[in-house]
PDB file of all heavy atoms in Angstrom:
ATOM      1  N   SER A  48      97.703 123.031  93.684  1.00 83.00           N
ATOM      2  CA  SER A  48      98.923 123.823  93.653  1.00 83.00           C
ATOM      3  C   SER A  48      98.892 125.029  94.558  1.00 83.00           C
ATOM      4  O   SER A  48      97.824 125.610  94.785  1.00 83.00           O
ATOM      5  CB  SER A  48      99.160 124.288  92.201  1.00 83.00           C
ATOM      6  OG  SER A  48      99.358 123.206  91.300  1.00 83.00           O
ATOM      7  N   ASP A  62     104.345 136.852 110.393  1.00 95.00           N
ATOM      8  CA  ASP A  62     104.791 138.203 110.734  1.00 95.00           C
ATOM      9  C   ASP A  62     104.039 138.746 111.912  1.00 95.00           C
ATOM     10  O   ASP A  62     104.509 139.722 112.562  1.00 95.00           O
ATOM     11  CB  ASP A  62     104.788 139.133 109.539  1.00 95.00           C
ATOM     12  CG  ASP A  62     105.761 138.757 108.500  1.00 95.00           C
ATOM     13  OD1 ASP A  62     106.731 138.010 108.779  1.00 95.00           O
ATOM     14  OD2 ASP A  62     105.609 139.149 107.311  1.00 95.00           O
ATOM     15  N   ILE A  93     108.823 125.680 110.247  1.00 95.00           N
ATOM     16  CA  ILE A  93     107.557 125.354 109.553  1.00 95.00           C
ATOM     17  C   ILE A  93     107.357 126.414 108.433  1.00 95.00           C
ATOM     18  O   ILE A  93     106.991 126.043 107.313  1.00 95.00           O
ATOM     19  CB  ILE A  93     106.382 125.446 110.601  1.00 95.00           C
ATOM     20  CG1 ILE A  93     106.444 124.262 111.550  1.00 95.00           C
ATOM     21  CG2 ILE A  93     105.029 125.422 109.843  1.00 95.00           C
ATOM     22  CD1 ILE A  93     105.415 124.298 112.639  1.00 95.00           C
ATOM     23  N   LEU A  94     107.613 127.646 108.729  1.00 96.00           N
ATOM     24  CA  LEU A  94     107.492 128.700 107.723  1.00 96.00           C
ATOM     25  C   LEU A  94     108.395 128.423 106.523  1.00 96.00           C
ATOM     26  O   LEU A  94     107.962 128.539 105.364  1.00 96.00           O
ATOM     27  CB  LEU A  94     107.797 130.091 108.309  1.00 96.00           C
ATOM     28  CG  LEU A  94     107.761 131.255 107.351  1.00 96.00           C
ATOM     29  CD1 LEU A  94     106.411 131.505 106.755  1.00 96.00           C
ATOM     30  CD2 LEU A  94     108.355 132.537 107.922  1.00 96.00           C
ATOM     31  N   CYS A 106     100.919 122.483 106.762  1.00 92.00           N
ATOM     32  CA  CYS A 106     101.869 123.444 107.292  1.00 92.00           C
ATOM     33  C   CYS A 106     101.438 124.882 107.007  1.00 92.00           C
ATOM     34  O   CYS A 106     101.805 125.847 107.747  1.00 92.00           O
ATOM     35  CB  CYS A 106     103.319 123.224 106.844  1.00 92.00           C
ATOM     36  SG  CYS A 106     103.543 123.529 105.078  1.00 92.00           S
ATOM     37  N   PHE A 109      99.873 126.185 109.773  1.00 90.00           N
ATOM     38  CA  PHE A 109     100.725 126.052 110.947  1.00 90.00           C
ATOM     39  C   PHE A 109     100.294 124.892 111.804  1.00 90.00           C
ATOM     40  O   PHE A 109     100.132 125.003 112.988  1.00 90.00           O
ATOM     41  CB  PHE A 109     100.800 127.362 111.728  1.00 90.00           C
ATOM     42  CG  PHE A 109     101.648 128.396 111.121  1.00 90.00           C
ATOM     43  CD1 PHE A 109     101.153 129.269 110.145  1.00 90.00           C
ATOM     44  CD2 PHE A 109     103.019 128.533 111.411  1.00 90.00           C
ATOM     45  CE1 PHE A 109     101.983 130.191 109.502  1.00 90.00           C
ATOM     46  CE2 PHE A 109     103.819 129.408 110.802  1.00 90.00           C
ATOM     47  CZ  PHE A 109     103.296 130.287 109.864  1.00 90.00           C
ATOM     48  N   PHE A 122     113.061 118.540 110.355  1.00 96.00           N
ATOM     49  CA  PHE A 122     113.616 118.450 111.718  1.00 96.00           C
ATOM     50  C   PHE A 122     114.538 117.244 111.813  1.00 96.00           C
ATOM     51  O   PHE A 122     114.333 116.172 111.135  1.00 96.00           O
ATOM     52  CB  PHE A 122     112.532 118.308 112.698  1.00 96.00           C
ATOM     53  CG  PHE A 122     111.536 119.462 112.777  1.00 96.00           C
ATOM     54  CD1 PHE A 122     110.330 119.455 112.121  1.00 96.00           C
ATOM     55  CD2 PHE A 122     111.889 120.636 113.540  1.00 96.00           C
ATOM     56  CE1 PHE A 122     109.473 120.555 112.165  1.00 96.00           C
ATOM     57  CE2 PHE A 122     111.011 121.712 113.583  1.00 96.00           C
ATOM     58  CZ  PHE A 122     109.827 121.677 112.894  1.00 96.00           C
ATOM     59  N   GLU A 126     115.135 116.491 117.321  1.00 96.00           N
ATOM     60  CA  GLU A 126     114.154 117.566 117.430  1.00 96.00           C
ATOM     61  C   GLU A 126     112.735 116.935 117.424  1.00 96.00           C
ATOM     62  O   GLU A 126     111.864 117.368 118.148  1.00 96.00           O
ATOM     63  CB  GLU A 126     114.308 118.552 116.245  1.00 96.00           C
ATOM     64  CG  GLU A 126     115.562 119.400 116.347  1.00 96.00           C
ATOM     65  CD  GLU A 126     115.767 120.262 115.130  1.00 96.00           C
ATOM     66  OE1 GLU A 126     115.485 119.753 113.976  1.00 96.00           O
ATOM     67  OE2 GLU A 126     116.299 121.363 115.260  1.00 96.00           O
ATOM     68  N   GLU A 153      92.434  88.670 127.589  1.00 90.00           N
ATOM     69  CA  GLU A 153      93.668  88.338 126.788  1.00 90.00           C
ATOM     70  C   GLU A 153      94.022  86.888 126.925  1.00 90.00           C
ATOM     71  O   GLU A 153      94.643  86.299 126.021  1.00 90.00           O
ATOM     72  CB  GLU A 153      94.857  89.213 127.301  1.00 90.00           C
ATOM     73  CG  GLU A 153      96.018  89.119 126.392  1.00 90.00           C
ATOM     74  CD  GLU A 153      97.163  90.079 126.911  1.00 90.00           C
ATOM     75  OE1 GLU A 153      96.952  90.651 127.965  1.00 90.00           O
ATOM     76  OE2 GLU A 153      98.203  90.209 126.207  1.00 90.00           O
ATOM     77  N   LEU A 215      83.643 102.860 119.728  1.00 89.00           N
ATOM     78  CA  LEU A 215      84.278 104.144 119.859  1.00 89.00           C
ATOM     79  C   LEU A 215      83.290 105.254 120.096  1.00 89.00           C
ATOM     80  O   LEU A 215      83.674 106.334 120.539  1.00 89.00           O
ATOM     81  CB  LEU A 215      85.070 104.449 118.568  1.00 89.00           C
ATOM     82  CG  LEU A 215      86.305 103.562 118.290  1.00 89.00           C
ATOM     83  CD1 LEU A 215      86.880 103.911 116.917  1.00 89.00           C
ATOM     84  CD2 LEU A 215      87.295 103.744 119.410  1.00 89.00           C
ATOM     85  N   ASP A 220      78.271 106.837 126.095  1.00 88.00           N
ATOM     86  CA  ASP A 220      76.829 106.744 126.383  1.00 88.00           C
ATOM     87  C   ASP A 220      76.416 107.287 127.717  1.00 88.00           C
ATOM     88  O   ASP A 220      75.404 107.910 127.903  1.00 88.00           O
ATOM     89  CB  ASP A 220      76.296 105.355 126.205  1.00 88.00           C
ATOM     90  CG  ASP A 220      76.086 104.942 124.705  1.00 88.00           C
ATOM     91  OD1 ASP A 220      76.263 105.831 123.866  1.00 88.00           O
ATOM     92  OD2 ASP A 220      75.815 103.751 124.472  1.00 88.00           O
ATOM     93  N   SER A 232      79.093 117.680 110.040  1.00 56.00           N
ATOM     94  CA  SER A 232      80.034 118.726 109.762  1.00 56.00           C
ATOM     95  C   SER A 232      80.472 119.369 111.050  1.00 56.00           C
ATOM     96  O   SER A 232      79.655 119.523 111.998  1.00 56.00           O
ATOM     97  CB  SER A 232      79.494 119.812 108.806  1.00 56.00           C
ATOM     98  OG  SER A 232      78.373 120.420 109.422  1.00 56.00           O
ATOM     99  N   GLU A 250      82.488 144.906  98.487  1.00 60.00           N
ATOM    100  CA  GLU A 250      82.452 143.541  97.862  1.00 60.00           C
ATOM    101  C   GLU A 250      81.206 142.820  98.316  1.00 60.00           C
ATOM    102  O   GLU A 250      80.647 143.088  99.358  1.00 60.00           O
ATOM    103  CB  GLU A 250      83.717 142.785  98.240  1.00 60.00           C
ATOM    104  CG  GLU A 250      85.011 143.451  97.800  1.00 60.00           C
ATOM    105  CD  GLU A 250      86.261 142.660  98.235  1.00 60.00           C
ATOM    106  OE1 GLU A 250      86.053 141.697  99.048  1.00 60.00           O
ATOM    107  OE2 GLU A 250      87.345 142.901  97.748  1.00 60.00           O
ATOM    108  N   THR A 263      82.114 111.048 112.444  1.00 89.00           N
ATOM    109  CA  THR A 263      81.658 111.223 113.760  1.00 89.00           C
ATOM    110  C   THR A 263      82.300 112.460 114.390  1.00 89.00           C
ATOM    111  O   THR A 263      83.498 112.654 114.247  1.00 89.00           O
ATOM    112  CB  THR A 263      81.941 109.984 114.716  1.00 89.00           C
ATOM    113  OG1 THR A 263      81.283 108.843 114.187  1.00 89.00           O
ATOM    114  CG2 THR A 263      81.406 110.249 116.130  1.00 89.00           C
ATOM    115  N   ASN A 282      92.702 102.362 101.524  1.00 64.00           N
ATOM    116  CA  ASN A 282      93.042 103.218 100.460  1.00 64.00           C
ATOM    117  C   ASN A 282      94.140 104.169 101.007  1.00 64.00           C
ATOM    118  O   ASN A 282      93.792 105.035 101.797  1.00 64.00           O
ATOM    119  CB  ASN A 282      91.818 103.998  99.985  1.00 64.00           C
ATOM    120  CG  ASN A 282      92.175 104.977  98.792  1.00 64.00           C
ATOM    121  OD1 ASN A 282      93.207 105.593  98.780  1.00 64.00           O
ATOM    122  ND2 ASN A 282      91.219 104.952  97.846  1.00 64.00           N
TER     123      ASN A 282
END
Side-chain angles (χ1 to χ4, degrees):
S48 299
D62 291 341
I93 292 176
L94 174 67
C106 68
F109 284 86
F122 298 98
E126 289 173 327
E153 190 175 6
L215 291 175
D220 283 352
S232 62
E250 298 179 349
T263 300
N282 183 319

